[in-house]
Short mmCIF file of all heavy atoms in Angstrom, two decimals:
data_model
loop_
_atom_site.label_atom_id
_atom_site.label_comp_id
_atom_site.label_asym_id
_atom_site.label_seq_id
_atom_site.Cartn_x
_atom_site.Cartn_y
_atom_site.Cartn_z
N ASN O 1 4.64 -14.33 16.60
CA ASN O 1 4.94 -13.44 15.49
C ASN O 1 3.65 -12.98 14.82
O ASN O 1 2.76 -13.78 14.57
CB ASN O 1 5.81 -14.13 14.45
CG ASN O 1 7.20 -14.38 14.95
OD1 ASN O 1 7.68 -13.70 15.85
ND2 ASN O 1 7.87 -15.34 14.37
N ILE O 2 3.60 -11.72 14.50
CA ILE O 2 2.46 -11.16 13.80
C ILE O 2 2.88 -10.90 12.35
O ILE O 2 3.89 -10.25 12.10
CB ILE O 2 2.00 -9.84 14.44
CG1 ILE O 2 1.52 -10.10 15.87
CG2 ILE O 2 0.92 -9.18 13.59
CD1 ILE O 2 1.19 -8.85 16.62
N VAL O 3 2.12 -11.44 11.43
CA VAL O 3 2.37 -11.20 10.02
C VAL O 3 1.41 -10.11 9.56
O VAL O 3 0.20 -10.28 9.62
CB VAL O 3 2.18 -12.48 9.18
CG1 VAL O 3 2.37 -12.18 7.71
CG2 VAL O 3 3.13 -13.56 9.64
N THR O 4 1.96 -8.99 9.15
CA THR O 4 1.12 -7.88 8.71
C THR O 4 0.93 -7.89 7.20
O THR O 4 0.08 -7.19 6.69
CB THR O 4 1.75 -6.54 9.12
OG1 THR O 4 3.05 -6.46 8.56
CG2 THR O 4 1.83 -6.42 10.63
N ASN O 5 1.72 -8.69 6.51
CA ASN O 5 1.69 -8.74 5.06
C ASN O 5 2.18 -10.11 4.65
O ASN O 5 3.23 -10.55 5.10
CB ASN O 5 2.58 -7.63 4.51
CG ASN O 5 2.59 -7.57 3.00
OD1 ASN O 5 2.48 -8.57 2.31
ND2 ASN O 5 2.73 -6.37 2.48
N ALA O 6 1.44 -10.78 3.79
CA ALA O 6 1.82 -12.13 3.37
C ALA O 6 3.18 -12.16 2.68
O ALA O 6 3.82 -13.20 2.62
CB ALA O 6 0.76 -12.71 2.45
N ALA O 7 3.64 -11.03 2.18
CA ALA O 7 4.93 -10.97 1.49
C ALA O 7 6.08 -10.62 2.42
O ALA O 7 7.23 -10.57 1.98
CB ALA O 7 4.85 -9.95 0.35
N ASP O 8 5.81 -10.40 3.71
CA ASP O 8 6.89 -10.08 4.64
C ASP O 8 7.96 -11.16 4.59
O ASP O 8 7.66 -12.35 4.69
CB ASP O 8 6.37 -9.95 6.07
CG ASP O 8 5.72 -8.61 6.34
OD1 ASP O 8 5.78 -7.73 5.47
OD2 ASP O 8 5.14 -8.44 7.43
N GLY O 9 9.19 -10.75 4.43
CA GLY O 9 10.31 -11.69 4.41
C GLY O 9 10.62 -12.25 3.04
O GLY O 9 11.63 -12.92 2.87
N ILE O 10 9.77 -12.02 2.06
CA ILE O 10 10.02 -12.50 0.71
C ILE O 10 10.63 -11.35 -0.10
O ILE O 10 10.02 -10.29 -0.24
CB ILE O 10 8.72 -12.96 0.03
CG1 ILE O 10 8.11 -14.13 0.80
CG2 ILE O 10 8.98 -13.34 -1.43
CD1 ILE O 10 6.75 -14.53 0.31
N VAL O 11 11.84 -11.55 -0.58
CA VAL O 11 12.50 -10.54 -1.40
C VAL O 11 12.60 -11.08 -2.82
O VAL O 11 13.14 -12.15 -3.05
CB VAL O 11 13.91 -10.22 -0.86
CG1 VAL O 11 14.60 -9.19 -1.74
CG2 VAL O 11 13.83 -9.73 0.58
N THR O 12 12.04 -10.33 -3.76
CA THR O 12 12.05 -10.75 -5.16
C THR O 12 12.91 -9.78 -5.98
O THR O 12 13.24 -8.69 -5.53
CB THR O 12 10.62 -10.75 -5.74
OG1 THR O 12 10.15 -9.40 -5.80
CG2 THR O 12 9.67 -11.60 -4.92
N GLU O 13 13.23 -10.21 -7.17
CA GLU O 13 13.99 -9.33 -8.08
C GLU O 13 13.17 -8.08 -8.41
O GLU O 13 13.71 -6.99 -8.50
CB GLU O 13 14.38 -10.09 -9.35
CG GLU O 13 15.44 -11.15 -9.13
CD GLU O 13 16.72 -10.58 -8.52
OE1 GLU O 13 17.22 -9.55 -9.01
OE2 GLU O 13 17.21 -11.17 -7.54
N ALA O 14 11.87 -8.25 -8.58
CA ALA O 14 11.01 -7.10 -8.89
C ALA O 14 11.03 -6.11 -7.74
O ALA O 14 11.04 -4.89 -7.96
CB ALA O 14 9.59 -7.56 -9.18
N GLU O 15 11.03 -6.60 -6.51
CA GLU O 15 11.09 -5.70 -5.36
C GLU O 15 12.37 -4.88 -5.40
O GLU O 15 12.35 -3.67 -5.18
CB GLU O 15 11.02 -6.49 -4.06
CG GLU O 15 11.12 -5.60 -2.83
CD GLU O 15 11.06 -6.37 -1.52
OE1 GLU O 15 11.06 -7.60 -1.53
OE2 GLU O 15 11.01 -5.69 -0.49
N LYS O 16 13.47 -5.53 -5.70
CA LYS O 16 14.75 -4.82 -5.77
C LYS O 16 14.72 -3.74 -6.84
O LYS O 16 15.29 -2.67 -6.66
CB LYS O 16 15.88 -5.81 -6.06
CG LYS O 16 16.14 -6.79 -4.94
CD LYS O 16 17.20 -7.80 -5.37
CE LYS O 16 17.33 -8.94 -4.39
NZ LYS O 16 18.27 -9.96 -4.87
N LEU O 17 14.05 -4.03 -7.94
CA LEU O 17 14.01 -3.08 -9.06
C LEU O 17 13.01 -1.94 -8.85
O LEU O 17 13.27 -0.81 -9.24
CB LEU O 17 13.64 -3.82 -10.35
CG LEU O 17 14.67 -4.77 -10.92
CD1 LEU O 17 14.08 -5.56 -12.08
CD2 LEU O 17 15.90 -3.99 -11.39
N TYR O 18 11.85 -2.25 -8.28
CA TYR O 18 10.73 -1.32 -8.32
C TYR O 18 10.28 -0.74 -6.98
O TYR O 18 9.51 0.21 -6.96
CB TYR O 18 9.52 -1.98 -8.98
CG TYR O 18 9.79 -2.60 -10.32
CD1 TYR O 18 9.55 -3.96 -10.55
CD2 TYR O 18 10.29 -1.85 -11.37
CE1 TYR O 18 9.79 -4.54 -11.78
CE2 TYR O 18 10.54 -2.41 -12.61
CZ TYR O 18 10.29 -3.76 -12.81
OH TYR O 18 10.53 -4.33 -14.03
N SER O 19 10.72 -1.31 -5.87
CA SER O 19 10.11 -0.94 -4.59
C SER O 19 10.29 0.54 -4.23
O SER O 19 9.37 1.14 -3.67
CB SER O 19 10.63 -1.82 -3.46
OG SER O 19 12.00 -1.63 -3.23
N ALA O 20 11.42 1.12 -4.55
CA ALA O 20 11.62 2.53 -4.19
C ALA O 20 10.58 3.42 -4.87
O ALA O 20 9.93 4.24 -4.21
CB ALA O 20 13.03 2.98 -4.55
N ASP O 21 10.41 3.24 -6.17
CA ASP O 21 9.44 4.05 -6.91
C ASP O 21 8.01 3.74 -6.48
O ASP O 21 7.18 4.64 -6.34
CB ASP O 21 9.57 3.82 -8.41
CG ASP O 21 10.84 4.41 -8.99
OD1 ASP O 21 11.40 5.35 -8.38
OD2 ASP O 21 11.28 3.92 -10.05
N LEU O 22 7.72 2.47 -6.25
CA LEU O 22 6.37 2.10 -5.85
C LEU O 22 6.03 2.62 -4.47
O LEU O 22 4.91 3.09 -4.23
CB LEU O 22 6.19 0.57 -5.91
CG LEU O 22 6.22 -0.01 -7.32
CD1 LEU O 22 6.22 -1.54 -7.26
CD2 LEU O 22 5.06 0.49 -8.14
N ASN O 23 6.97 2.56 -3.55
CA ASN O 23 6.72 3.08 -2.20
C ASN O 23 6.48 4.58 -2.23
O ASN O 23 5.62 5.09 -1.50
CB ASN O 23 7.87 2.72 -1.26
CG ASN O 23 7.88 1.24 -0.92
OD1 ASN O 23 6.85 0.58 -0.94
ND2 ASN O 23 9.04 0.73 -0.60
N LEU O 24 7.21 5.31 -3.06
CA LEU O 24 6.97 6.75 -3.20
C LEU O 24 5.57 7.02 -3.75
O LEU O 24 4.87 7.92 -3.27
CB LEU O 24 8.02 7.39 -4.11
CG LEU O 24 9.40 7.58 -3.52
CD1 LEU O 24 10.37 8.08 -4.59
CD2 LEU O 24 9.36 8.54 -2.35
N LEU O 25 5.18 6.24 -4.74
CA LEU O 25 3.85 6.40 -5.33
C LEU O 25 2.77 6.14 -4.27
O LEU O 25 1.81 6.90 -4.16
CB LEU O 25 3.67 5.44 -6.51
CG LEU O 25 2.30 5.46 -7.18
CD1 LEU O 25 2.03 6.80 -7.85
CD2 LEU O 25 2.19 4.32 -8.18
N VAL O 26 2.93 5.07 -3.49
CA VAL O 26 1.97 4.74 -2.45
C VAL O 26 1.85 5.89 -1.45
O VAL O 26 0.74 6.34 -1.11
CB VAL O 26 2.36 3.43 -1.72
CG1 VAL O 26 1.56 3.25 -0.45
CG2 VAL O 26 2.19 2.24 -2.65
N GLU O 27 2.97 6.37 -0.97
CA GLU O 27 2.95 7.47 0.01
C GLU O 27 2.28 8.71 -0.56
O GLU O 27 1.49 9.36 0.12
CB GLU O 27 4.37 7.80 0.46
CG GLU O 27 5.00 6.73 1.32
CD GLU O 27 6.44 7.03 1.68
OE1 GLU O 27 6.89 8.19 1.48
OE2 GLU O 27 7.12 6.11 2.15
N GLU O 28 2.61 9.03 -1.80
CA GLU O 28 2.05 10.23 -2.43
C GLU O 28 0.53 10.11 -2.59
O GLU O 28 -0.21 11.00 -2.17
CB GLU O 28 2.69 10.45 -3.80
CG GLU O 28 2.15 11.63 -4.55
CD GLU O 28 2.76 11.77 -5.93
OE1 GLU O 28 3.94 11.41 -6.11
OE2 GLU O 28 2.05 12.24 -6.82
N VAL O 29 0.08 9.03 -3.16
CA VAL O 29 -1.35 8.89 -3.46
C VAL O 29 -2.16 8.72 -2.18
O VAL O 29 -3.20 9.35 -2.01
CB VAL O 29 -1.60 7.73 -4.44
CG1 VAL O 29 -3.08 7.47 -4.61
CG2 VAL O 29 -0.95 8.04 -5.78
N TYR O 30 -1.69 7.88 -1.26
CA TYR O 30 -2.41 7.71 0.00
C TYR O 30 -2.51 9.05 0.73
O TYR O 30 -3.56 9.40 1.27
CB TYR O 30 -1.73 6.68 0.89
CG TYR O 30 -1.97 5.24 0.51
CD1 TYR O 30 -2.41 4.86 -0.75
CD2 TYR O 30 -1.75 4.23 1.43
CE1 TYR O 30 -2.61 3.55 -1.09
CE2 TYR O 30 -1.96 2.89 1.11
CZ TYR O 30 -2.38 2.56 -0.15
OH TYR O 30 -2.59 1.24 -0.48
N GLY O 31 -1.42 9.79 0.75
CA GLY O 31 -1.42 11.10 1.40
C GLY O 31 -2.41 12.05 0.78
O GLY O 31 -3.12 12.78 1.48
N GLN O 32 -2.48 12.05 -0.56
CA GLN O 32 -3.42 12.92 -1.25
C GLN O 32 -4.86 12.53 -0.95
O GLN O 32 -5.72 13.39 -0.77
CB GLN O 32 -3.16 12.88 -2.76
CG GLN O 32 -1.88 13.57 -3.16
CD GLN O 32 -1.58 13.42 -4.64
OE1 GLN O 32 -2.21 12.64 -5.34
NE2 GLN O 32 -0.59 14.15 -5.10
N ILE O 33 -5.12 11.23 -0.91
CA ILE O 33 -6.49 10.78 -0.62
C ILE O 33 -6.86 11.11 0.82
O ILE O 33 -7.94 11.63 1.09
CB ILE O 33 -6.64 9.28 -0.92
CG1 ILE O 33 -6.55 9.04 -2.44
CG2 ILE O 33 -7.96 8.74 -0.37
CD1 ILE O 33 -6.49 7.57 -2.83
N ILE O 34 -5.96 10.83 1.75
CA ILE O 34 -6.25 11.08 3.17
C ILE O 34 -6.48 12.56 3.46
O ILE O 34 -7.35 12.92 4.24
CB ILE O 34 -5.11 10.52 4.05
CG1 ILE O 34 -5.15 8.98 4.01
CG2 ILE O 34 -5.20 11.02 5.48
CD1 ILE O 34 -3.92 8.31 4.59
N THR O 35 -5.70 13.42 2.82
CA THR O 35 -5.82 14.86 3.07
C THR O 35 -6.91 15.52 2.22
O THR O 35 -7.15 16.72 2.36
CB THR O 35 -4.49 15.58 2.83
OG1 THR O 35 -4.10 15.39 1.45
CG2 THR O 35 -3.41 15.09 3.77
N GLY O 36 -7.54 14.77 1.35
CA GLY O 36 -8.61 15.32 0.53
C GLY O 36 -8.13 16.01 -0.73
O GLY O 36 -8.94 16.59 -1.45
N LYS O 37 -6.84 15.96 -1.02
CA LYS O 37 -6.32 16.57 -2.25
C LYS O 37 -6.67 15.74 -3.49
O LYS O 37 -6.61 16.24 -4.61
CB LYS O 37 -4.82 16.77 -2.15
CG LYS O 37 -4.44 17.80 -1.10
CD LYS O 37 -2.94 17.95 -1.00
CE LYS O 37 -2.62 18.97 0.11
NZ LYS O 37 -1.20 19.03 0.39
N ALA O 38 -7.01 14.48 -3.26
CA ALA O 38 -7.48 13.60 -4.33
C ALA O 38 -8.68 12.84 -3.77
O ALA O 38 -8.73 12.54 -2.58
CB ALA O 38 -6.38 12.63 -4.75
N ASP O 39 -9.64 12.56 -4.64
CA ASP O 39 -10.80 11.83 -4.14
C ASP O 39 -10.55 10.33 -4.22
O ASP O 39 -9.62 9.86 -4.86
CB ASP O 39 -12.09 12.24 -4.86
CG ASP O 39 -12.05 11.98 -6.35
OD1 ASP O 39 -11.33 11.08 -6.79
OD2 ASP O 39 -12.77 12.69 -7.08
N LEU O 40 -11.38 9.58 -3.55
CA LEU O 40 -11.22 8.14 -3.46
C LEU O 40 -11.29 7.47 -4.83
O LEU O 40 -10.68 6.42 -5.04
CB LEU O 40 -12.27 7.55 -2.51
CG LEU O 40 -12.10 6.12 -2.07
CD1 LEU O 40 -10.71 5.89 -1.49
CD2 LEU O 40 -13.16 5.75 -1.07
N ASP O 41 -12.00 8.10 -5.76
CA ASP O 41 -12.09 7.55 -7.11
C ASP O 41 -10.72 7.49 -7.80
O ASP O 41 -10.53 6.71 -8.73
CB ASP O 41 -13.05 8.37 -7.97
CG ASP O 41 -14.49 8.23 -7.50
OD1 ASP O 41 -14.82 7.20 -6.88
OD2 ASP O 41 -15.28 9.16 -7.75
N SER O 42 -9.77 8.28 -7.34
CA SER O 42 -8.43 8.27 -7.94
C SER O 42 -7.66 6.99 -7.60
O SER O 42 -6.63 6.71 -8.20
CB SER O 42 -7.63 9.49 -7.50
OG SER O 42 -7.37 9.44 -6.11
N PHE O 43 -8.18 6.20 -6.67
CA PHE O 43 -7.50 4.96 -6.28
C PHE O 43 -7.39 3.99 -7.45
O PHE O 43 -6.38 3.31 -7.60
CB PHE O 43 -8.22 4.30 -5.10
CG PHE O 43 -7.46 3.14 -4.53
CD1 PHE O 43 -6.38 3.34 -3.69
CD2 PHE O 43 -7.82 1.84 -4.86
CE1 PHE O 43 -5.66 2.28 -3.18
CE2 PHE O 43 -7.11 0.77 -4.34
CZ PHE O 43 -6.03 0.99 -3.51
N ASP O 44 -8.41 3.94 -8.31
CA ASP O 44 -8.34 3.04 -9.47
C ASP O 44 -7.19 3.42 -10.39
O ASP O 44 -6.48 2.54 -10.89
CB ASP O 44 -9.66 3.06 -10.24
CG ASP O 44 -10.80 2.40 -9.48
OD1 ASP O 44 -10.52 1.56 -8.60
OD2 ASP O 44 -11.96 2.72 -9.76
N ASN O 45 -6.98 4.71 -10.59
CA ASN O 45 -5.84 5.15 -11.40
C ASN O 45 -4.53 4.80 -10.73
O ASN O 45 -3.56 4.43 -11.39
CB ASN O 45 -5.91 6.66 -11.65
CG ASN O 45 -7.06 7.04 -12.54
OD1 ASN O 45 -7.51 6.26 -13.37
ND2 ASN O 45 -7.54 8.25 -12.36
N PHE O 46 -4.50 4.92 -9.40
CA PHE O 46 -3.31 4.55 -8.64
C PHE O 46 -2.96 3.08 -8.87
O PHE O 46 -1.81 2.74 -9.11
CB PHE O 46 -3.52 4.82 -7.15
CG PHE O 46 -2.64 4.00 -6.26
CD1 PHE O 46 -1.29 4.28 -6.14
CD2 PHE O 46 -3.16 2.91 -5.57
CE1 PHE O 46 -0.47 3.51 -5.32
CE2 PHE O 46 -2.36 2.14 -4.75
CZ PHE O 46 -1.00 2.44 -4.63
N VAL O 47 -3.96 2.21 -8.81
CA VAL O 47 -3.71 0.77 -8.99
C VAL O 47 -3.14 0.50 -10.38
O VAL O 47 -2.18 -0.26 -10.53
CB VAL O 47 -4.99 -0.05 -8.75
CG1 VAL O 47 -4.79 -1.51 -9.14
CG2 VAL O 47 -5.42 0.06 -7.30
N GLU O 48 -3.69 1.14 -11.38
CA GLU O 48 -3.18 0.97 -12.75
C GLU O 48 -1.73 1.43 -12.85
O GLU O 48 -0.89 0.75 -13.44
CB GLU O 48 -4.05 1.74 -13.74
CG GLU O 48 -5.42 1.15 -13.94
CD GLU O 48 -6.28 1.98 -14.87
OE1 GLU O 48 -5.76 2.87 -15.57
OE2 GLU O 48 -7.50 1.73 -14.88
N GLU O 49 -1.43 2.58 -12.27
CA GLU O 49 -0.07 3.12 -12.30
C GLU O 49 0.89 2.23 -11.51
O GLU O 49 2.00 1.96 -11.95
CB GLU O 49 -0.06 4.54 -11.74
CG GLU O 49 1.27 5.23 -11.79
CD GLU O 49 1.69 5.67 -13.18
OE1 GLU O 49 0.94 5.45 -14.15
OE2 GLU O 49 2.79 6.22 -13.31
N TYR O 50 0.45 1.77 -10.35
CA TYR O 50 1.27 0.89 -9.51
C TYR O 50 1.64 -0.38 -10.28
O TYR O 50 2.80 -0.78 -10.31
CB TYR O 50 0.48 0.53 -8.24
CG TYR O 50 1.23 -0.31 -7.26
CD1 TYR O 50 1.99 0.27 -6.25
CD2 TYR O 50 1.18 -1.71 -7.31
CE1 TYR O 50 2.68 -0.49 -5.32
CE2 TYR O 50 1.87 -2.48 -6.39
CZ TYR O 50 2.61 -1.87 -5.41
OH TYR O 50 3.30 -2.64 -4.52
N ASN O 51 0.66 -0.98 -10.91
CA ASN O 51 0.92 -2.20 -11.68
C ASN O 51 1.83 -1.92 -12.87
O ASN O 51 2.74 -2.71 -13.15
CB ASN O 51 -0.39 -2.84 -12.12
CG ASN O 51 -1.11 -3.50 -10.99
OD1 ASN O 51 -0.51 -3.94 -10.01
ND2 ASN O 51 -2.44 -3.58 -11.09
N ARG O 52 1.63 -0.80 -13.53
CA ARG O 52 2.44 -0.44 -14.69
C ARG O 52 3.90 -0.20 -14.32
O ARG O 52 4.81 -0.52 -15.07
CB ARG O 52 1.85 0.81 -15.37
CG ARG O 52 2.51 1.18 -16.69
CD ARG O 52 1.94 2.45 -17.26
NE ARG O 52 2.31 3.63 -16.49
CZ ARG O 52 3.52 4.19 -16.50
NH1 ARG O 52 4.48 3.69 -17.22
NH2 ARG O 52 3.77 5.28 -15.78
N LEU O 53 4.13 0.33 -13.12
CA LEU O 53 5.48 0.66 -12.68
C LEU O 53 6.21 -0.53 -12.04
O LEU O 53 7.29 -0.35 -11.49
CB LEU O 53 5.44 1.82 -11.69
CG LEU O 53 5.02 3.17 -12.25
CD1 LEU O 53 4.90 4.21 -11.14
CD2 LEU O 53 6.02 3.63 -13.31
N GLY O 54 5.64 -1.72 -12.14
CA GLY O 54 6.32 -2.91 -11.63
C GLY O 54 5.57 -3.65 -10.55
O GLY O 54 5.97 -4.75 -10.16
N GLY O 55 4.49 -3.09 -10.07
CA GLY O 55 3.72 -3.73 -9.02
C GLY O 55 3.13 -5.07 -9.43
O GLY O 55 3.09 -6.02 -8.64
N GLN O 56 2.69 -5.17 -10.67
CA GLN O 56 2.12 -6.43 -11.16
C GLN O 56 3.19 -7.52 -11.17
O GLN O 56 2.97 -8.63 -10.71
CB GLN O 56 1.53 -6.25 -12.56
CG GLN O 56 0.90 -7.51 -13.11
CD GLN O 56 -0.33 -7.93 -12.33
OE1 GLN O 56 -1.14 -7.10 -11.93
NE2 GLN O 56 -0.47 -9.21 -12.10
N GLU O 57 4.37 -7.19 -11.67
CA GLU O 57 5.47 -8.15 -11.71
C GLU O 57 5.87 -8.57 -10.29
O GLU O 57 6.10 -9.75 -10.01
CB GLU O 57 6.66 -7.53 -12.43
CG GLU O 57 7.83 -8.47 -12.60
CD GLU O 57 8.98 -7.83 -13.35
OE1 GLU O 57 8.80 -6.78 -14.01
OE2 GLU O 57 10.09 -8.38 -13.26
N TRP O 58 5.93 -7.61 -9.40
CA TRP O 58 6.29 -7.90 -8.00
C TRP O 58 5.26 -8.84 -7.37
O TRP O 58 5.61 -9.83 -6.74
CB TRP O 58 6.38 -6.59 -7.24
CG TRP O 58 6.91 -6.65 -5.84
CD1 TRP O 58 7.32 -7.76 -5.16
CD2 TRP O 58 7.09 -5.56 -4.95
NE1 TRP O 58 7.74 -7.41 -3.90
CE2 TRP O 58 7.61 -6.06 -3.75
CE3 TRP O 58 6.85 -4.21 -5.06
CZ2 TRP O 58 7.89 -5.26 -2.67
CZ3 TRP O 58 7.15 -3.40 -3.96
CH2 TRP O 58 7.68 -3.92 -2.78
N THR O 59 3.99 -8.55 -7.59
CA THR O 59 2.93 -9.39 -7.05
C THR O 59 3.02 -10.81 -7.60
O THR O 59 2.90 -11.79 -6.86
CB THR O 59 1.55 -8.78 -7.37
OG1 THR O 59 1.46 -7.49 -6.78
CG2 THR O 59 0.41 -9.65 -6.87
N GLU O 60 3.25 -10.93 -8.89
CA GLU O 60 3.36 -12.25 -9.51
C GLU O 60 4.54 -13.03 -8.93
O GLU O 60 4.41 -14.24 -8.68
CB GLU O 60 3.49 -12.11 -11.01
CG GLU O 60 2.21 -11.64 -11.68
CD GLU O 60 2.39 -11.25 -13.13
OE1 GLU O 60 3.53 -11.30 -13.66
OE2 GLU O 60 1.38 -10.85 -13.75
N GLN O 61 5.66 -12.36 -8.72
CA GLN O 61 6.83 -13.05 -8.16
C GLN O 61 6.59 -13.48 -6.72
O GLN O 61 6.98 -14.59 -6.32
CB GLN O 61 8.07 -12.16 -8.25
CG GLN O 61 8.56 -12.02 -9.66
CD GLN O 61 9.80 -11.15 -9.77
OE1 GLN O 61 10.45 -10.81 -8.78
NE2 GLN O 61 10.15 -10.79 -11.00
N VAL O 62 5.93 -12.65 -5.93
CA VAL O 62 5.62 -13.03 -4.54
C VAL O 62 4.67 -14.22 -4.54
O VAL O 62 4.88 -15.20 -3.82
CB VAL O 62 5.00 -11.85 -3.76
CG1 VAL O 62 4.41 -12.32 -2.43
CG2 VAL O 62 6.06 -10.77 -3.51
N ASN O 63 3.63 -14.16 -5.36
CA ASN O 63 2.67 -15.27 -5.42
C ASN O 63 3.34 -16.57 -5.85
O ASN O 63 3.05 -17.63 -5.30
CB ASN O 63 1.51 -14.93 -6.35
CG ASN O 63 0.59 -13.89 -5.76
OD1 ASN O 63 0.57 -13.65 -4.55
ND2 ASN O 63 -0.16 -13.21 -6.62
N ALA O 64 4.24 -16.49 -6.83
CA ALA O 64 4.94 -17.69 -7.31
C ALA O 64 5.82 -18.28 -6.21
O ALA O 64 5.94 -19.50 -6.09
CB ALA O 64 5.76 -17.35 -8.54
N SER O 65 6.41 -17.43 -5.40
CA SER O 65 7.31 -17.92 -4.35
C SER O 65 6.55 -18.56 -3.19
O SER O 65 7.11 -19.31 -2.41
CB SER O 65 8.19 -16.79 -3.83
OG SER O 65 7.45 -15.89 -3.04
N ARG O 66 5.26 -18.29 -3.08
CA ARG O 66 4.46 -18.82 -1.98
C ARG O 66 3.79 -20.15 -2.34
O ARG O 66 3.12 -20.72 -1.51
CB ARG O 66 3.40 -17.80 -1.56
CG ARG O 66 4.06 -16.52 -1.06
CD ARG O 66 3.26 -15.65 -0.18
NE ARG O 66 2.36 -16.26 0.74
CZ ARG O 66 2.66 -16.61 2.00
NH1 ARG O 66 3.86 -16.45 2.45
NH2 ARG O 66 1.74 -17.13 2.77
N LYS O 67 3.99 -20.61 -3.53
CA LYS O 67 3.36 -21.89 -3.96
C LYS O 67 4.21 -23.05 -3.53
O LYS O 67 5.36 -23.04 -3.41
CB LYS O 67 3.16 -21.91 -5.47
CG LYS O 67 2.09 -20.93 -5.89
CD LYS O 67 1.85 -21.01 -7.38
CE LYS O 67 0.75 -20.01 -7.74
NZ LYS O 67 0.45 -20.01 -9.13
#
């Protein structure tokens, strides 16, 4: 088995609540950076927005479940 993400197989309440919006944000921002519509410096803003929209909570729940 290949693990591509340490959170594979872990489903949290935050994931259920936020994953749809966060996945859209990831696709949008990554696409903009890859196509040159946004510069790489915009990644820091993306991280802040991702965390604000539930990414921080999701990360905390995944980390807690792995202890």
Side-chain angles (χ1 to χ4, degrees):
N1 290 336
I2 297 174
V3 177
T4 58
N5 181 327
D8 280 353
I10 298 172
V11 178
T12 67
E13 290 302 313
E15 178 180 7
K16 294 175 189 175
L17 291 172
Y18 308 122
S19 65
D21 290 336
L22 292 173
N23 288 333
L24 285 174
L25 178 65
V26 167
E27 290 176 14
E28 178 183 328
V29 173
Y30 282 19
Q32 289 175 349
I33 291 172
I34 289 168
T35 60
K37 293 179 182 172
D39 60 28
L40 192 53
D41 292 335
S42 66
F43 188 78
D44 290 336
N45 292 332
F46 156 74
V47 171
E48 290 177 14
E49 183 73 1
Y50 183 91
N51 287 333
R52 187 183 70 74
L53 292 175
Q56 182 66 40
E57 183 179 343
W58 188 359
T59 300
E60 290 169 359
Q61 289 181 11
V62 168
N63 288 340
S65 72
R66 298 202 35 91
K67 289 183 180 180

